[in-house]
Every structure is written in structure tokens, then in C-alpha cells.
Amino acid sequence: MVDDTWSGALHRLWQAASRAEEVAALADDVYAPLLATPGVHLVVGTRWDEQHVLRYMRGLSAGNDTPVIVATTRSMPGAAVREPGGEPVVTRSAVEGLDDSVWPEADFLRQAPGVSVVACTFRLDQRGWAALALAVDGTADLSVVENRLTQAVDVIVACHTGILQRGREARRASDDALLAEASLQMDSSLDVEDTLRRVARIAVPAVADGALVHLLRGEGPEFVAATHVAVQQQRALEEAGRHDPWLAALLARRGEDEDTVFLSGAALEGSPFAEAGGAAVGADGANGTAADARPAGDGPHPTVVSISTLRARGRVVGSITFVYQRPEARLPDSAFLRSLATRAALAIDNALLYELRRTAVLSLQEHLLPSQLPESVQWDLSASYAVGDPMLDVGGDFYDAVPRPDGSIALLIGDVCGRGAEAAALTGLARHTLRTLLEEGTDPGTALSRLNRALRQERATRFLTAVVATLTPRPDGTALLSTCSAGHPPPLVLRGDGTVSEVLSGGLLLGVLDDVSYESHEELIAPDDTLVLFTDGLTESREASGAFFESVLPARLSALRGSGAAHIAESLAQQAETFRDSGQDDIALLVARWTGVPPGAGLLPHDPRIEQAALR
């Protein structure tokens, strides 16, 4: 027996309630003080779900320290008459008058020496209710018994409410953390396919056991990604996402419905998620893969499927389907799924917009460059262009190769200051102006001067650099290289023996002053010599230590001796991008290998070992 007064016991009960993680932990602190009440011989507690199924019963009699505990799933429709409404309900009944179809605890109560029953039924939450029944004898003060019983129930209800509130707060904190992490993960990629895969992976297993992502195309939903906690189930999920007509029809019917829909039981009949035979996607398969993924002791649960529309910036971009094989209490709520879907939709839409912009920029960039370079047995021409700006504004780098009336070829490369629409407009003006003039046979210096005058007349707010080099064949198989520069990085010449020299150049930037003249520098190019023209995006690529690619360019170029023009252009651009830790400028290269050799002359072959050694 407990000797404490009721007030002291009630105080301890409130303290225990503030610490309890589940209501059942309060049983000892509730039952013992009630049994200490004069005239009370037995306390029985019962727990019911919303379908009037008895889930739990616990009885303790006076003078006995060991309770009788019964865990069950006994359906008792007759107990509906005892179900409370909003407030706790206290009743008095004679023991002999108890109906067993209404009172599952009647057997316990009849065994006590009491003559009547004082019971209180109370609601815990929307999913169930409970009852406390006391067997009392004729010596009991029923008003005192009822008062203590209602006070104990108040503590139990408050404890349960607090547990639910703490659970909601913990769940909300967990959901917020998951949503924050999901945003970081999804926003870290601008690749559409990678973003969609991240959306599926983030949700499993934190949110669901499986996830499917569909993108809305012109012809309807298109499967793009799936994941599942079990590998075998993932294969089935992917197959369903691609080919299942039930799922395709459901996604098509949902259209722009913004509400998340949950489906289970009969609503999944005919779907790949139906549990007939235990082989459904998300259900326990024959190999037990889904069950293996659940914690030990967590029995089978009905499959539940939710579908959320992915909407961003006023348009539907797709849908995300979650498959659950877990208790109902662990299912996410609609508000959380809507928030996750919104973040996923924005990430997907950003990736789609980036892809559209990337395609548009690359298409525009291609139109600012020649579609092909001229071919001749006397030269080997190739070019490379690498976009360096992650924001994908159109760059101002350009190049071209122009056959001239006298049999020579003019090579030109330039760089407009800045990026964007204005830079693109000047790029087109500069390239086409120079090309037209050079095709007509205008010498490089005059062509640059006339371009400068055109820029000044157009009141261009940006300057540009350019270099024009002509290769004129000579009878002995060499070529006369004439170079004219307007503030552009000087070209390099890779000789057949591997030596590298810089072509003398100078000249003022284009678009700065009104009247500017440009002078040419001349030298000879021998068979197997290679002329390399480039923009400053190549030389100004900077590694983490602060060194520029310009410092290693001669050695890297020398290691490429004997290579064709295409290999030189592609290799240098790739090396610069690998070298670069900072810098976002575009890289343009135009490479001309002179091959106008006399009969019988031998060219040195390219040696890959030399190139690899230069990279070390």
C-alpha cells in the first residue's frame, strides 16, 4: 500500500507525466494511488481504437504488485455505447449488471469484493479512446472516488496530449531538416536528369520506401527516375514507371490537380502496387526484400501510394509518386508532401530552364562561328570553342578562316569585351566585316582599320581585340606568314622540331580611337610548322596556386609536335579547362598546320609519350 496522501501522489503523477514518452509508462503512478483510496479494490484500464477494437487491457488489484496485462485486437461493436464525446464521462454501475459485450473488463471486476463500478471514459485523440474502471465496496465515498478518478484522467489526457505535441514538434523539426537538405541537394545541380534522380533519392527511405518521378512532356507523363529501399523492388518500380498503363492513366487523369492524393486498399486494385499474391511493388515480395529493409519486429503493413503534382511558376512540370510499406503513424502528411513537391518542382524547373537557355546560347554561339572550315591539301585546319561561363551568357570570342583570291588563306580570331546580347551583336559585326573584307582581297591591316571605323560609327560601348594572319604559299613549299594584331594575345608557332616561338604583334584595341592604322609582321612557315591562334581565355586559365596556363603553354604545345590540327586544338582546350581553378572566360582556338611540302619531304610523326610527359 501507498501511504502518501492523494495530493502528494497527484503531484508525483504530474511530474511523471511531464517526463513520460508514452502513456503506458504512467500506469504504476496512476493505479497505486487509486488503489490506496479507501473502498477501492481493483483498477482496470482499457484502450480502444476508432473502430471499437480493444487494443489493450491492464488490471491491478489491491495488495497485488503484479498487474494482468492483455494485448489484443478484439472487435467489440457493443462498446460503442461507452465511447465518449469531447469530455470525459463518469458512470456508476452495479457489478452484476455489466454486459460482457460492452465491458471486456467485466470478468476482472466481478472477481473483486466490490459491489459497484465507477468508470471514466475519455478520448485520447481522433484515433482512439480509453477507460478507467474501479471496483469499489460499500464503504467507499463515491464522490471522493469520482474526484480522484477524474483528476487521474486529466493527468493521463494531458500526458498524451504532451506526447503528441512533442512528437509533432520533433516530426516538424525532422521534416524541416529534411526539406532544407532536399533543397540543398536538388539545387546543387542544374542538370535535368541528375536533379530528377536526386529528387527520388532524397525521399527514400526518409519519406517513403519507394519513389517515382515523372516529367510532363507534350505527349504526357514521361518516366525519368525511380528508387526503392530494396534493389529488386526498384527494378519493378522502374518497370511500372515506364510501362504500367494503370499508373500512366492515373497520372494523366490527375492533370493539374494540386492536392496530394493517398491511395490504398481497393483504390489500388489493378495497379502495380496491389498486394495480390504478395508480389506487388512496395509489398512483401517472395524474396522478402521489402520486409528485409524494415526494422526487426516491424510486421507487414498495407501498401499506401501518394501522388503529388510538381508545379512551379504557375505550370505543371511533372509528378512524384511515393510508395509506403510502413505504419500509418509514419506516413507523411499532405502539407509536408506539398512542400517537398514545391521544392522539387522548382529545382526541376530551374534545371529545365537552364537546359533551355544552354541550348539557346549554344545555338546562338554556333551561328556566330563558321559552320565549317575550308579544306586544302596545303593546310590542316581545326578549331575548338569551350564555353566558360556557368551562367551561359553568350561570349564574345570568334574565329574564322577565309580563302583569298590570290590563293592565300586568312585566319582571324578575336574577343569582344564582356558577354551577353551586346557582345554577341559586336561579335557578329566584327567577324562578318572582317570576313567580307578579307574575301575581297583587302590586306589585314586595312581590314582591321575599317572594322575599327565601323565600330566607332556604330558608337559601340565595348572594345574588342583581334588578330589576322595570312598564309601565302611559296614555290619552295614554305608559306609566308603575315600577322596583323589589334591588341590581341600574340599567336604561337610550333616548329616541326618542337620549338615554340611567339609571333611579333602589337596594335591598339579596336573601337577605342577613330583613326588607327595597323602594321603587319612577316615570317616564313615551313612544312609541318603549326600556327596557333587563341583568345585570352586559354592563357588566363588560373590554377589554385595562382599560376596561369600561359606559363606552361609553350611546353604543352611543344609536346604536341607532330599532331594534327584537330588534336592540338582539342588537347590545349581540355588541358586549360583541367588546369583552371578560377576564371570563367570562353576559350577559342584556331590551329593551322602547314602541309604544303615538296615531294619526298618527310614529316616528324606525333609521339604521344612526349605529350604525356609534358602534363606531369
Side-chain angles (χ1 to χ4, degrees):
M1 294 291 292
V2 177
D3 297 327
D4 294 335
T5 63
W6 173 253
S7 59
L10 189 63
H11 177 70
R12 289 198 305 275
L13 180 59
W14 276 110
Q15 287 182 321
S18 66
R19 299 187 301 267
E21 295 183 0
E22 57 180 16
V23 173
L26 291 179
D28 291 340
D29 296 285
V30 172
Y31 283 37
L34 288 175
L35 285 172
T37 303
V40 176
H41 296 277
L42 178 70
V43 180
V44 184
T46 52
R47 183 78 174 267
W48 305 79
D49 67 16
E50 69 274 18
Q51 301 299 324
H52 307 114
V53 174
L54 178 65
R55 294 293 182 179
Y56 173 86
M57 183 161 58
R58 186 182 197 274
L60 183 66
S61 58
N64 193 341
D65 295 332
T66 304
V68 176
I69 299 175
V70 179
T72 181
T73 55
R74 180 180 171 188
S75 178
M76 298 187 66
V81 299
R82 295 177 62 193
E83 182 176 358
E87 297 295 328
V89 177
V90 177
T91 59
R92 298 180 185 178
S93 306
V95 171
E96 63 272 13
L98 298 179
D99 184 348
D100 287 5
S101 66
V102 177
W103 292 78
E105 62 267 53
D107 285 343
F108 281 110
L109 295 169
R110 293 189 186 106
Q111 296 172 15
V115 296
S116 61
V117 175
V118 179
C120 180
T121 56
F122 53 96
R123 182 159 295 282
L124 291 172
D125 51 48
Q126 295 301 316
R127 295 194 298 271
W129 52 283
L132 269 180
L134 309 180
V136 300
D137 61 25
T139 65
D141 185 336
L142 293 182
S143 62
V144 172
V145 171
E146 289 183 2
N147 183 58
R148 293 187 177 185
L149 181 60
T150 55
Q151 288 179 337
V153 166
D154 287 342
V155 178
I156 294 172
V157 172
C159 176
H160 185 73
T161 301
I163 291 171
L164 291 180
Q165 180 63 29
R166 291 193 295 274
R168 284 191 293 268
E169 291 174 355
R171 181 71 174 268
R172 188 179 302 113
S174 176
D175 289 348
D176 289 345
L178 177 61
L179 290 172
E181 177 64 19
S183 294
L184 288 175
Q185 290 290 327
M186 292 184 293
D187 292 344
S188 65
S189 175
L190 287 174
D191 178 83
V192 175
E193 296 299 324
D194 184 55
T195 299
L196 292 168
R197 286 191 294 269
R198 286 169 183 257
V199 170
R201 286 198 301 266
I202 286 168
V204 176
V207 176
D209 298 281
L212 281 160
V213 181
H214 286 77
L215 199 61
L216 185 62
R217 301 292 192 184
E219 59 276 11
E222 175 186 321
F223 167 78
V224 288
T227 190
H228 197 281
V229 292
V231 174
Q232 288 186 330
Q233 296 290 357
Q234 179 165 330
R235 297 192 191 102
L237 199 61
E238 291 173 350
E239 184 68 16
R242 289 190 179 94
H243 305 298
D244 186 75
W246 182 92
L247 182 59
L250 177 63
L251 295 179
R253 286 198 307 271
R254 282 189 53 75
E256 298 190 1
D257 191 350
E258 295 185 11
D259 293 331
T260 294
V261 61
F262 285 86
L263 304 174
S264 62
L268 295 177
E269 291 182 5
S271 78
F273 313 107
E275 298 183 55
V281 174
D284 292 329
N287 295 321
T289 52
D292 293 342
R294 292 195 300 270
D298 191 12
H301 300 285
T303 298
V304 179
V305 174
S306 70
I307 302 175
S308 301
T309 300
L310 300 177
R311 175 185 290 274
R313 300 180 178 93
R315 66 187 186 92
V316 175
V317 298
S319 64
I320 184 165
T321 302
F322 290 132
V323 181
Y324 312 92
Q325 192 74 20
R326 54 185 63 188
E328 181 182 351
R330 290 176 55 201
L331 296 180
D333 57 33
S334 296
F336 171 79
L337 291 179
R338 280 196 303 271
S339 183
L340 180 62
T342 298
R343 295 167 189 243
L346 286 173
I348 293 170
D349 196 48
N350 287 338
L352 289 171
L353 292 174
Y354 179 85
E355 184 66 25
L356 288 174
R357 181 173 181 178
R358 179 176 181 272
T359 301
V361 167
L362 293 180
S363 176
L364 177 56
Q365 199 81 63
E366 288 177 359
H367 284 82
L368 294 175
L369 301 173
S371 58
Q372 61 182 15
L373 297 175
E375 297 180 0
S376 171
V377 295
Q378 295 181 305
W379 59 70
D380 173 21
L381 286 181
S382 188
S384 177
Y385 196 104
V387 176
D389 180 23
M391 297 308 294
L392 284 181
D393 275 330
V394 181
D397 293 14
F398 63 93
Y399 61 83
D400 208 343
V402 185
R404 289 159 57 84
D406 61 358
S408 65
I409 183 172
L411 308 175
L412 61 99
I413 194 166
D415 185 2
V416 176
C417 174
R419 311 185 69 87
E422 186 178 358
L426 288 182
T427 297
L429 172 65
R431 179 188 157 227
H432 290 293
T433 298
L434 288 176
R435 180 179 180 87
T436 300
L437 293 172
L438 294 170
E439 278 181 329
E440 294 174 351
T442 305
D443 67 88
T446 302
L448 288 174
S449 295
R450 291 179 62 177
L451 173 59
N452 181 73
R453 188 160 56 248
L455 293 173
R456 298 296 294 169
Q457 290 173 350
E458 290 291 330
R459 300 183 182 277
T461 59
R462 299 170 184 253
F463 64 83
L464 63 94
T465 66
V467 63
V468 179
T470 59
L471 293 172
T472 305
R474 289 164 52 91
D476 60 357
T478 62
L480 178 64
L481 171 62
S482 179
T483 308
C484 192
S485 177
H488 197 80
L492 297 178
V493 175
L494 170 62
R495 303 293 179 179
D497 61 2
T499 59
V500 175
S501 61
E502 188 176 275
V503 176
L504 295 178
S505 60
L508 190 66
L509 303 172
L510 295 164
V512 178
L513 299 177
D514 290 330
D515 297 317
V516 182
S517 60
Y518 297 92
E519 297 181 355
S520 297
H521 169 77
E522 295 182 349
E523 60 182 278
L524 292 179
I525 294 292
D528 201 30
D529 287 351
T530 302
L531 178 66
V532 181
L533 296 87
F534 48 86
T535 57
D536 59 8
L538 180 76
T539 54
E540 293 180 1
S541 293
R542 191 172 186 174
E543 68 174 356
S545 67
F548 289 96
F549 191 71
E550 181 180 22
S551 63
V552 299
L553 178 56
R556 299 287 181 90
L557 179 57
S558 177
L560 294 168
R561 59 184 176 275
S563 300
H567 180 71
I568 292 175
E570 293 173 4
S571 179
L572 288 179
Q574 185 177 16
Q575 289 182 44
E577 288 189 280
T578 303
F579 183 90
R580 176 164 56 192
D581 181 71
S582 63
Q584 298 178 347
D585 204 1
D586 292 0
I587 297 173
L589 285 131
L590 181 60
V591 179
R593 184 186 186 209
W594 184 250
T595 60
V597 297
L603 301 181
L604 291 177
H606 168 57
D607 188 344
R609 292 174 298 178
I610 299 176
E611 179 183 351
Q612 290 301 318
L615 298 178
R616 297 191 183 103

